[in-house]
Amino acid sequence: MTEHDLAATASPLLQKAGLTGPFELRAIKGGANNQVFEARGLRRSVLLKHYFKHAQDQRDRLGAEFGFCSFAWARGLRCVAQPLLMDTAAHIALYEFVPGTPLKPGDVHETEIEQAANFFAGLNAHRQHPDAAGLPLASE
């Protein structure tokens, strides 16, 4: 999908999220299969993600990621971006935009390892919650 087509497809979802007016998409590089953009020029920046869909791959990448983030966010885990809205027909989702840079191996120290361990422990503290049973298995 071109950026122009994606902007037109995303516009109703942005409006539904209360984000109206002109906006621009800034591509965020690094994803393998999905297209990721920062939607700028609105009341606040949001992350727009267009999920890859292939006829021979029946995984629901959008539903799995949005569901996981929703589960984590609802349990008070704020180290994931807040999921805002999704459009399953268009294979797109809106998330809170969290500025940052990807970590490189030399950037990982005790603090980052501790943050990851805390996230893992915080998430697993809710593994018996009824909503946890509805989460699909991760593909990677």
Side-chain angles (χ1 to χ4, degrees), residues 6 10 13-14 17 19 24-29 34-40 42 44-51 62 65-66 69 81-86 92-100:
L6 186 57
L13 196 61
L14 289 163
L19 302 168
E24 67 176 2
L25 296 178
R26 182 185 65 84
I28 298 174
K29 304 294 181 196
N34 304 313
Q35 295 175 296
V36 183
F37 300 88
E38 177 188 4
R40 302 193 294 187
L42 303 160
R44 64 178 180 155
S45 289
V46 293
L47 185 110
L48 171 66
K49 190 166 185 178
H50 179 239
Y51 290 81
L62 165 60
E65 185 169 74
F66 198 89
C69 289
Q82 180 182 14
L84 302 173
L85 290 170
M86 68 175 179
I92 59 175
L94 295 178
Y95 297 91
E96 162 191 31
F97 181 77
V98 179

Side-chain angles (χ1 to χ4, degrees), residues 3-134:
E3 280 189 40
H4 177 74
D5 292 340
L6 186 57
T9 302
S11 189
L13 196 61
L14 289 163
Q15 289 177 13
K16 190 174 179 180
L19 302 168
T20 59
F23 66 93
E24 67 176 2
L25 296 178
R26 182 185 65 84
I28 298 174
K29 304 294 181 196
N33 294 317
N34 304 313
Q35 295 175 296
V36 183
F37 300 88
E38 177 188 4
R40 302 193 294 187
L42 303 160
R43 243 181 333 112
R44 64 178 180 155
S45 289
V46 293
L47 185 110
L48 171 66
K49 190 166 185 178
H50 179 239
Y51 290 81
F52 174 76
K53 187 76 174 162
H54 189 279
Q56 295 176 345
D57 183 356
Q58 296 304 309
R59 290 179 293 174
D60 180 8
R61 297 167 189 256
L62 165 60
E65 185 169 74
F66 198 89
F68 174 82
C69 289
S70 296
F71 177 83
W73 190 264
R75 305 290 138 346
L77 298 168
R78 298 297 185 256
C79 55
V80 296
Q82 180 182 14
L84 302 173
L85 290 170
M86 68 175 179
D87 179 337
T88 55
H91 308 291
I92 59 175
L94 295 178
Y95 297 91
E96 162 191 31
F97 181 77
V98 179
T101 56
L103 292 175
K104 297 180 218 64
D107 298 336
V108 178
H109 303 289
E110 188 175 328
T111 300
E112 290 77 21
I113 294 168
E114 193 172 296
Q115 289 172 347
N118 288 339
F119 173 62
F120 181 80
L123 192 60
N124 279 284
H126 302 284
R127 65 191 289 169
Q128 300 304 321
H129 191 282
D131 292 344

